[in-house]
Amino acid sequence: MAGIRWPPDDSELSQARIPSTSDLISDDDRSIAADSWSIKSDYGSTLDDEQRHVDAADALSTGTFRAASDYSSDKEEPDAEVEPSVLGLQSYWDATYTDELANFHEHGHSGEVWFGAEITGIVASWTKNLCDDIAQGRLQGLADGAKSESVEQDGKILSSWNVLDIGTGNGLLLHELAKQGFSDLTGIDYSEGAINLAQRLADRDGFSNINFLVDDVLETKLEKQFQLVMDKGTLDAIGLHPDGPLKRIMYWDSVSKLVCPGGILVITSCNNTKDELVHEVENFNQRKLGGSQDPEVPKDQQALFRYLSHVQSYPTFMFGGSEGSRVATVAFLRS
């Protein structure tokens, strides 16, 4: 069993302000300013956002999608449906980062480290080792046509991998990745306050080379693709939105365009087990393939994403006779 769903400790959320009713009114009013795209000239918008909404709604109507909480490969009974929460609303995070930015200016505080500093460090070091193994051809089970670009380009070093952190928040995961040797780093978040805080922390702590952009991963304006895409808690938050199932479909459609062929997606979650994430990816693959599967080619070679590895070193606990972890980190290979 990869893990048991376990929410963050109350203490981990103690600094976040619960928004008032007025805060929640403008959830769909994105705070992306038109001039934010002048930060990086090679980023632009060609994706049809309206079509993305239509595709996701169509997928839901077919009945082929199930929320991750419905998967029960390691449970006797499926979990109850995940209840929506303010943590799924942009207005919550806008209010949170307004407070955290004020705390930074007044006291120099970095803000909340989602999942905690220890988990963030584990994610960064494990991801670095995984990418090293891929770059050196040490990882078993990679199909010849599904290797990382660093393998195909013979000698491309780890520091040149371009990395995207979606829902970057205060950007501290990117700091840890920079310490591990990654240098081409970009963080996006739909909260302008988060990006303002992340940029100031990076400048203060000597990571001014990290690029930060205001961008909503569900309606991304990014055109480029990345060899490594990180998600630490963003899929969790998306699943807590009142339209969580719809937005999760939009998430996978968008992320599949952001990860380059042969690239890696690493998801860290406290609301999904490793098996649930794997099943959700399998469901996405099935939906994208539809009736276009080639019987001559193995299914795992046709899939857009396939399971690669997961962190096995997280502390575990016993509950109800089962052993599990509060956090799951899973890597998927983009074909």
Side-chain angles (χ1 to χ4, degrees):
M1 177 176 174
I4 293 175
R5 179 173 291 99
W6 199 266
D9 293 336
D10 291 342
S11 61
E12 294 177 350
L13 299 175
S14 60
Q15 296 183 21
R17 179 174 66 84
I18 300 300
S20 65
T21 302
S22 62
D23 288 328
L24 304 181
I25 293 174
S26 59
D27 176 48
D28 292 329
D29 295 332
R30 304 300 183 191
S31 61
I32 302 175
D35 62 354
S36 67
W37 302 113
S38 64
I39 299 173
K40 195 77 171 174
S41 61
D42 57 341
Y43 294 150
S45 176
T46 59
L47 300 179
D48 187 340
D49 294 336
E50 291 186 5
Q51 187 60 45
R52 195 193 318 275
H53 283 275
V54 171
D55 291 345
D58 287 346
L60 276 179
S61 67
T62 65
T64 60
F65 176 81
R66 293 180 296 162
S69 60
D70 293 336
Y71 296 114
S72 56
S73 61
D74 57 354
K75 304 177 181 65
E76 293 182 2
E77 297 293 337
D79 291 338
E81 184 177 351
V82 175
E83 291 292 331
S85 162
V86 293
L87 275 73
L89 302 178
Q90 182 182 348
S91 52
Y92 171 86
W93 297 108
D94 284 342
T96 294
Y97 286 112
T98 295
D99 287 349
E100 294 199 347
L101 191 57
N103 286 333
F104 169 77
H105 287 307
E106 187 173 353
H107 305 293
H109 294 169
S110 298
E112 192 71 40
V113 182
W114 198 244
F115 294 96
E118 181 182 4
I119 294 297
T120 301
I122 291 174
V123 170
S125 60
W126 178 85
T127 299
K128 182 260 186 185
N129 291 335
L130 176 69
C131 293
D132 274 343
D133 287 343
I134 293 172
Q136 299 301 322
R138 293 192 295 263
L139 198 66
Q140 299 298 315
L142 284 177
D144 290 340
K147 292 181 180 179
S148 160
E149 286 188 4
S150 59
V151 175
E152 295 172 352
Q153 294 181 13
D154 189 24
K156 191 173 184 180
I157 58 176
L158 184 66
S159 63
S160 66
W161 284 39
N162 61 339
V163 180
L164 176 68
D165 183 24
I166 57 178
T168 193
N170 55 19
L172 295 184
L173 175 59
L174 290 173
H175 294 201
E176 294 301 316
L177 290 170
K179 294 174 186 176
Q180 294 293 333
F182 295 95
S183 59
D184 187 351
L185 300 163
T186 300
I188 62 171
D189 201 292
Y190 65 4
S191 173
E192 190 171 3
I195 294 302
N196 288 338
L197 176 61
Q199 189 65 68
R200 284 161 175 75
L201 289 171
D203 291 342
R204 183 195 70 180
D205 296 341
F207 300 105
S208 56
N209 61 308
I210 300 176
N211 300 310
F212 290 104
L213 299 170
V214 179
D215 185 58
D216 183 349
V217 67
L218 301 185
E219 299 176 353
T220 184
K221 302 299 188 293
L222 301 181
E223 287 183 338
K224 66 184 296 184
Q225 292 184 311
F226 297 82
Q227 291 166 280
L228 175 62
V229 174
M230 305 294 295
D231 173 342
K232 185 166 71 71
T234 298
L235 183 59
D236 286 348
I238 287 171
L240 294 173
H241 190 278
D243 295 325
L246 173 70
K247 290 185 177 289
R248 288 180 84 108
I249 289 178
M250 294 171 63
Y251 170 92
W252 286 106
D253 285 340
S254 184
V255 167
S256 68
K257 297 179 177 69
L258 291 172
V259 184
C260 72
I264 307 299
L265 170 66
V266 176
I267 298 178
T268 299
S269 171
C270 65
N271 279 353
N272 303 274
T273 67
K274 170 250 183 181
D275 287 347
E276 287 174 330
L277 289 170
V278 169
H279 277 298
E280 187 166 357
V281 166
E282 291 173 348
N283 189 77
F284 167 72
N285 289 332
Q286 183 179 11
R287 178 170 63 83
K288 296 302 286 186
L289 286 172
S292 63
Q293 296 185 32
D294 184 347
E296 304 270 335
V297 180
K299 286 185 177 181
D300 64 341
Q301 294 183 23
Q302 299 180 63
L304 284 177
F305 287 107
R306 68 182 181 88
Y307 166 77
L308 189 60
S309 185
H310 72 281
V311 172
Q312 302 183 47
S313 59
Y314 288 139
T316 60
F317 63 93
M318 295 297 297
F319 181 81
S322 298
E323 184 178 28
S325 171
R326 291 177 53 199
V327 181
T329 296
V330 188
F332 298 96
L333 181 71
R334 174 74 162 85
S335 62

